[in-house]
Amino acid sequence: MTDAPTGPDRDAWLDIPALNAFLARSTDRMGPAISAALLKGGNSNPTFKVEADTGTYVLRKRPARAGVYGHSVEREFRVMSALADSGVPVPRTIVSCEDESVLGGRFYLMDFVQGRVSDDCTLPGFAPEERREIYRDFVSAIAHLHSVDPRAVGLEDYGKWDSGYLQRQMLRLGQAFAQEEPEDLDDMFWLIEHLPPMLPAQVETRIVHGDVRIGNTIIHATEPRIAGLIDWELSTLGDPTVDAALLPMPHNVWPTPINSFAGLDLEAWGIPDEETMVGWYVRAASRPMDHYPVLACFNVFRSAAIYHGVQYRARHGTRVSDQAEGFGAAVRPLAARARRMAEALRS
């Protein structure tokens, strides 16, 4: 057997014999793995497509050296398992392992969902009418997620039930940012000081995905609809309107590694405008979005803070995506954009 690689390369490699030994003693829902290939994406958790004699699966693993933010693969496994019969489109989970000695980090396995994945929010290769239907179904899927009672699916202890979700997010993001060797990012420090008093009170508590974007979906192989919501590492209990305010996020940024709608002829492309997307959610969820402008501002700031963390991990040898430098380059313009949005709301 080939010796395991060391350093950051370890996260791009799986010990198939060790995985199979674990599977043999842990589940009868999946046969022995034959091969594994690292999938594109997964900026926090390495993700592998695993071929086995019983089918194709996906393995998500905590990196060998985890950073400050994210990496909660055990939470991903739990929330998707809980949502299996809820009508929310999630992959079927197989088994999880919290013993880091098996593969060098906690991990879980789930079914591979056949479909199309696009990191580009403009959905190149789709017809305009398909884009509109995909985005409408995406909004509906998130609205349906927010309709699920956490207690009814065994997630009553998945997060806090108080009204402090946004305040905890601000505190956590600010603390993480301070630990990640910030440079002359004055806009980030301004936002950390001035944004918290502007945030609205939380009205209700629901399951939130935490990273709502088209790149975290699997689009059906032949139909313009969402076949799977993936990448649940930031999920918790919180304010559903914060999640919903992420849906039109590409309208509030310019091209970054996840792209934007900047400069598009929205009607010609079949892309719904910001007001339409918010309206779809309000009607599908029967939930008002009166505080959308400040929530949109918070989410732009939040993206800047998370991208800063991706860059920090890249500098310290835990990069699992070749887009890390691009995410880092987006921090400064995103922070500037969020500050302008906040100053406009304060005026």
Side-chain angles (χ1 to χ4, degrees):
M1 184 180 73
T2 303
D3 290 339
T6 58
D9 289 340
R10 175 172 182 145
D11 287 325
W13 177 85
L14 277 185
D15 186 337
I16 298 295
L19 173 60
N20 284 337
F22 166 78
L23 292 172
R25 64 179 181 268
S26 303
T27 183
D28 59 0
R29 295 172 60 191
M30 174 180 170
I34 299 168
S35 64
L38 186 68
L39 292 172
K40 180 183 177 182
N43 292 292
S44 294
N45 297 317
T47 304
F48 298 84
K49 183 178 181 181
V50 178
E51 299 291 347
D53 58 6
T54 51
T56 305
Y57 305 88
V58 171
L59 184 148
R60 290 265 285 174
K61 184 173 82 74
R62 190 175 190 264
R65 288 179 58 204
V68 175
Y69 204 87
H71 310 298
S72 300
V73 293
E74 63 275 17
R75 289 178 64 81
E76 286 193 330
F77 180 83
R78 183 183 175 193
V79 70
M80 286 192 293
S81 298
L83 292 171
D85 298 317
S86 68
V88 177
V90 291
R92 184 180 71 112
T93 55
I94 305 296
V95 66
S96 68
C97 176
E98 297 189 19
D99 181 354
E100 297 192 359
S101 69
V102 175
L103 294 181
R106 287 170 269 174
F107 66 92
Y108 71 91
L109 286 130
M110 59 184 167
D111 281 353
F112 179 82
V113 177
Q114 294 288 345
R116 298 165 286 181
V117 176
S118 177
D119 283 334
D120 189 334
C121 65
T122 66
L123 298 177
F126 290 86
E129 59 272 18
E130 290 179 310
R131 293 189 187 102
R132 186 172 180 85
E133 288 304 310
I134 287 166
Y135 269 105
R136 184 155 199 160
D137 196 59
F138 184 28
V139 172
S140 295
I142 297 302
H144 186 65
L145 167 66
H146 295 161
S147 74
V148 175
D149 182 348
R151 291 161 292 210
V153 294
L155 293 176
E156 61 276 358
D157 61 345
Y158 195 62
K160 296 182 182 296
W161 283 85
D162 61 32
S163 60
Y165 173 70
L166 269 174
Q167 287 69 27
R168 286 192 299 276
Q169 289 276 303
M170 281 295 309
L171 180 63
R172 185 181 182 191
L173 290 164
Q175 290 175 338
F177 176 76
Q179 294 175 40
E180 292 165 349
E181 302 173 3
E183 299 173 356
D184 57 334
L185 293 168
D186 293 342
D187 290 333
M188 288 295 287
F189 289 111
W190 185 94
L191 288 159
I192 289 168
E193 178 182 356
H194 292 95
L195 189 52
M198 301 173 61
L199 299 177
Q202 182 174 330
V203 176
E204 58 182 321
T205 300
R206 284 290 185 267
I207 303 162
V208 293
H209 180 279
D211 194 8
V212 173
R213 59 186 181 88
I214 203 69
N216 282 338
T217 72
I218 300 169
I219 301 166
H220 191 275
T222 59
E223 301 173 17
R225 62 180 177 86
I226 303 303
L229 295 175
I230 55 175
D231 287 9
W232 291 81
E233 66 180 302
L234 299 181
S235 62
T236 187
L237 300 186
D239 188 335
T241 62
V242 181
D243 242 16
L246 283 167
L247 287 161
M249 183 75 160
H251 287 289
N252 287 308
V253 295
W254 44 91
T256 70
I258 60 170
N259 305 114
S260 79
F261 296 147
L264 284 185
D265 181 337
L266 297 178
E267 184 175 358
W269 275 70
I271 300 289
D273 61 28
E274 190 172 8
E275 182 178 357
T276 296
M277 294 182 77
V278 173
W280 282 347
Y281 178 83
V282 169
R283 289 188 291 275
S286 298
R287 179 178 292 112
M289 289 286 288
D290 299 335
H291 299 291
Y292 172 72
V294 70
L295 295 179
C297 172
F298 167 77
N299 281 326
V300 175
F301 158 75
R302 179 174 175 269
S303 292
I306 292 174
Y307 291 176
H308 189 268
V310 172
Q311 181 187 48
Y312 172 80
R313 289 191 292 277
R315 289 200 304 262
H316 287 77
T318 59
R319 181 181 67 183
V320 296
S321 170
D322 58 7
Q323 295 180 323
E325 287 86 355
F327 281 117
V331 173
R332 195 177 299 275
L334 284 172
R337 167 67 171 159
R339 179 171 179 173
R340 288 196 298 272
M341 293 170 75
E343 288 177 334
L345 290 169
R346 280 160 52 97
S347 62

